[in-house]
Amino acid sequence: MGVMGSFKKFFKRMFNKKNARIGIYGPPNAGKTTLANRILRDWTGDAMGSVSHIAHETRRARRREGVTIQSNGGSISLDIIDTPGLATKIDFHEFMELGMNEAESKRRAKEATEGVIEAVKWLENLDGVILVMDATEDPYTQVNVTVIGNMEARNLPLLIVANKTDLPESSATSIREAFPQHPMVAISALEGKNIDTFYDEVAKRFG
């Protein structure tokens, strides 16, 4: 291949490169949408969606395309998918305990269940996963273990995020010790603590 052929190959690769599709996964109320909002506000000035203390507030996957993150003198363009919280069981009684009537509770439970199914289907179309865990909770949950097992089976790049490190009872170390085979970064998506390190890891893992 001559010089001209090399240039053609380079430019073809450069212009055909697609954004990496990265899904933000994790259990309900781990801070997935808070992290998605942090990313978008830092790099686009926008937001992904509303957050709530009520579990399963996000019941449909939300996608934002072409989010460019600058890190270590380079950049990476991502399509970010904020997925519904994963759960092994969704009981409408949990919503009723929060003051919702039975009809609203059943509707939310149904939508949340459909959201979990949608989130699992998205795995077929992703280039990598950011798995958000609540650093104040026990990391050895069925959801966390199942998601990581799925990622490993699919050979998808995975970055674990130990979130909520602004809370005194948080323990990022317990998450690191639970899943030492995968890279992890400890942050507070709410306060932006250690967020630059997170962006460095995103660029390194998915670039």
Side-chain angles (χ1 to χ4, degrees), residues 7-137:
F7 272 115
K8 286 181 179 179
K9 186 177 180 181
F10 169 77
F11 282 112
K12 182 179 180 180
R13 185 169 65 248
M14 183 174 70
F15 286 110
N16 286 350
K17 185 177 181 181
K18 296 180 180 178
N19 297 340
R21 293 184 301 273
I22 305 300
I24 300 178
Y25 280 73
N29 285 1
K32 298 178 299 300
T33 301
T34 301
L35 177 58
N37 285 342
R38 169 67 60 179
I39 296 170
L40 290 183
R41 284 173 179 145
D42 284 351
W43 301 105
T44 71
D46 203 351
M48 181 71 80
S50 61
V51 297
S52 170
H53 69 282
I54 299 174
H56 301 290
E57 182 66 18
T58 301
R59 299 185 294 282
R60 288 289 181 271
R62 293 177 288 207
R63 179 174 179 175
R64 188 61 56 88
E65 298 181 348
V67 180
T68 300
I69 292 174
Q70 307 286 336
S71 176
N72 289 328
S75 65
I76 177 174
S77 290
L78 307 175
D79 291 346
I80 296 175
I81 298 92
D82 179 25
T83 65
L86 297 177
T88 55
K89 180 182 179 182
I90 301 172
D91 189 340
F92 75 91
H93 291 97
E94 296 176 7
F95 295 105
M96 292 187 68
E97 290 173 0
L98 296 171
M100 300 181 191
N101 61 43
E102 183 173 341
E104 172 68 8
S105 297
K106 287 183 176 180
R107 182 184 67 81
R108 279 202 171 225
K110 179 176 181 292
E111 290 176 351
T113 302
E114 292 170 348
V116 171
I117 296 171
E118 181 187 15
V120 172
K121 287 181 178 178
W122 259 107
L123 292 174
E124 301 290 340
N125 299 298
L126 295 178
D127 300 308
V129 166
I130 296 170
L131 178 57
V132 183
M133 299 185 189
D134 184 340
T136 69
E137 301 286 344

Side-chain angles (χ1 to χ4, degrees), residues 148 151-152 156 158 160 176 179-184 205:
I148 289 177
M151 298 306 99
E152 293 173 343
L156 277 175
L158 172 67
I160 296 175
R176 190 185 304 277
F179 307 105
Q181 71 273 34
H182 294 290
M184 188 211 79
R205 191 69 175 149

Side-chain angles (χ1 to χ4, degrees), residues 133-150:
M133 299 185 189
D134 184 340
T136 69
E137 301 286 344
D138 181 358
Y140 290 104
T141 66
Q142 187 174 353
V143 168
N144 289 340
V145 172
T146 300
V147 170
I148 289 177
N150 266 280

